[in-house]
Amino acid sequence: MAGPSMCSKPLRFLAGREAMTRIRRDGLYEEMFDVVAGASGGAKWLALTRLDQALFGRWFQQRTRPLHMVGSSIGTWRFACLAQPDRVAAAQRFEAAYLDYSVDDRVTATELTEHCRNFLRLIFGADGIDHVLSHPFMRQSILAVRGRGPIKPPLGKIGLGLGLGMAGIANLASRRSLPLFFERTVLYDRRDPPPFDLLAEFPTQSVPLTASNLMPALLASSAVPFVFEGVIDPDGARPGLYLDGGIMDYHLDMAFTPPGLILFPHFSHRIIPGWFDKALPWRRAREVSLSRMLVLCPSVEFTQALPFGKIPDRGDFQRMDTVTRQKYWRTAVAETDRLADCWLEAVEKDRVPDLIEPLRP
């Protein structure tokens, strides 16, 4: 386990205004959280896998009231693992398979999508879908978008590119233009409503999760345009082409409604509202969205000390050969044990109230 001098460096505890007040007043304990958030980010999730295992291997064991797991893209896959009976073992299976993954440079979107289905089959096994839908307290909310206007099937690469280009240009002026091109969609556990305002910022189509649409929902939420195939007409949803939920909700700048706090294990200290905002440094999350959030993220110093000075990302497939990438990814993941150690020590020694920093837009 890392000592105190190490603990303050690898992992940061960033708290919004209300979260900071509550944690400094009452300390940190698991029942103060009603929502866990999971961002888009592809391979960046590898920075969080060991933290997920430490956090969920210790917390939320005897929970009785609902804990809402709200995610887009890879965040939803992490939560599918955590909804299994042995959540740590499921996360470890996914981690191992992801680290072992190799792919030909000429692989098609159709082939990559089938590889994704294989990953989900590995996570779920024979009855994992039922475990998600009947979990005693976890309530999944899977975010995707339905194409509107020019972004609808049948749609080739040129049409998709034009539609995305128009959406990106409109987004420069305002995020409020995105509903012209996309309809935010949440596929949610029917036992409880989604834990955010369905009318705030973007009107949202809400679709109950079923055994027939859970896997399509996970695939749709992760369907990065041009990289993976979108999902057409998932069961129970409006007809259309469904794509990556991160297009609208990249890092979940959302109007959460439960009274408790939002726990956000994240790979960055930045909260970027949408996919088109990644290159727009002036586009920041709203302070009201951050107020009840506790973000756990690697420090800049920790990240810079990794090989190549960064955490893994999807671009590594283009920048590196398979052997180099796999060695780098395994080294980076092993280093993130320090994040898990820091979390465990901070909780065991009740140090979080002293370690929290302001979470800024």
Side-chain angles (χ1 to χ4, degrees):
M1 183 174 294
S5 63
M6 291 180 64
C7 183
S8 62
K9 293 181 180 179
L11 184 67
R12 299 181 72 186
F13 298 77
L14 306 177
R17 183 174 301 175
E18 185 174 344
M20 182 171 286
T21 297
R22 291 196 200 183
I23 293 169
R24 285 183 171 166
R25 181 189 65 206
D26 303 328
L28 186 76
Y29 56 96
E30 60 190 85
E31 284 297 316
M32 71 194 317
F33 295 98
D34 284 338
V35 175
V36 181
S40 296
K44 294 174 184 176
W45 83 277
L46 290 172
L48 302 174
T49 175
R50 301 293 170 85
L51 182 60
D52 279 348
Q53 292 167 41
L55 200 162
F56 287 90
R58 174 189 176 100
W59 269 16
F60 308 121
Q61 301 296 317
Q62 307 300 323
R63 181 93 174 193
T64 55
R65 62 192 179 88
L67 179 67
H68 294 276
M69 315 293 285
V70 182
S72 59
S73 194
I74 197 66
T76 68
W77 292 41
R78 290 165 51 213
F79 295 164
C81 292
L82 297 173
Q84 301 307 305
D86 190 336
R87 56 185 78 166
V88 173
Q92 290 172 340
R93 287 197 307 274
F94 184 33
E95 174 195 308
Y98 207 90
L99 291 175
D100 286 341
Y101 181 62
S102 61
V103 63
D104 190 298
D105 289 340
R106 295 179 298 277
V107 71
T108 66
T110 299
E111 290 169 327
L112 282 174
T113 303
E114 184 57 31
H115 297 170
C116 287
R117 290 192 182 93
N118 290 336
F119 276 126
L120 291 174
R121 293 180 186 117
L122 176 73
I123 291 171
F124 288 137
D127 51 7
I129 289 177
D130 290 337
H131 290 309
V132 171
L133 297 175
S134 63
H135 194 280
F137 61 85
M138 286 188 186
R139 304 289 189 262
Q140 304 291 329
S141 289
I142 299 171
L143 291 159
V145 298
R146 182 179 73 95
R148 299 187 65 198
I151 305 175
K152 57 186 178 182
L155 189 69
K157 288 185 177 181
I158 294 176
L160 180 59
L162 288 173
L164 290 172
M166 292 168 61
I169 292 170
N171 180 75
L172 281 171
S174 172
R175 266 174 60 79
R176 294 185 180 276
S177 66
L178 288 177
L180 297 173
F181 304 91
F182 306 101
E183 180 181 37
R184 175 199 264 165
T185 300
V186 57
L187 296 103
Y188 71 100
D189 191 311
R190 66 173 68 237
R191 292 174 291 178
D192 290 280
F196 56 89
D197 188 337
L198 296 177
L199 298 178
E201 193 178 22
F202 303 129
T204 302
Q205 173 191 191
S206 57
V207 181
L209 281 169
T210 66
S212 62
N213 70 18
L214 176 57
M215 189 176 289
L218 293 167
L219 290 169
S221 187
S222 307
V224 178
F226 302 113
V227 180
F228 304 103
E229 291 184 332
V231 173
I232 296 177
D233 301 346
D235 185 43
R238 295 190 182 102
L241 175 68
Y242 286 76
L243 297 167
D244 191 337
I247 290 174
M248 278 181 150
D249 297 297
Y250 194 57
H251 292 169
L252 308 185
D253 174 16
M254 305 175 72
F256 290 108
T257 52
L261 301 185
I262 298 97
L263 180 61
F264 192 0
H266 192 25
F267 45 77
S268 171
H269 64 279
R270 290 188 63 202
I271 309 294
I272 301 172
W275 189 53
F276 292 108
D277 302 321
K278 292 188 290 183
L280 308 179
W282 63 87
R283 189 65 56 78
R284 299 178 180 180
R286 298 162 299 169
E287 190 166 352
V288 66
S289 302
L290 307 182
S291 182
R292 288 183 290 125
M293 207 175 262
L294 175 65
V295 173
L296 311 177
C297 66
S299 67
V300 173
E301 295 79 9
F302 172 84
T303 301
Q304 290 177 341
L306 294 175
F308 304 103
K310 67 176 192 65
I311 62 175
D313 62 69
R314 193 174 66 247
D316 295 335
F317 286 101
Q318 285 73 49
R319 288 188 290 263
M320 305 174 191
D321 61 73
T322 296
V323 172
T324 301
R325 176 184 57 79
Q326 289 180 334
K327 181 179 179 181
Y328 155 50
W329 280 13
R330 289 191 175 95
T331 300
V333 168
E335 283 296 309
T336 64
D337 278 334
R338 292 176 56 202
L339 306 180
D341 288 345
C342 179
W343 161 261
L344 292 170
E345 180 183 343
V347 171
E348 288 170 359
K349 297 186 177 181
D350 195 24
R351 298 188 63 218
V352 175
D354 298 323
L355 292 172
I356 51 176
E357 311 168 53
L359 173 61
R360 306 195 185 280

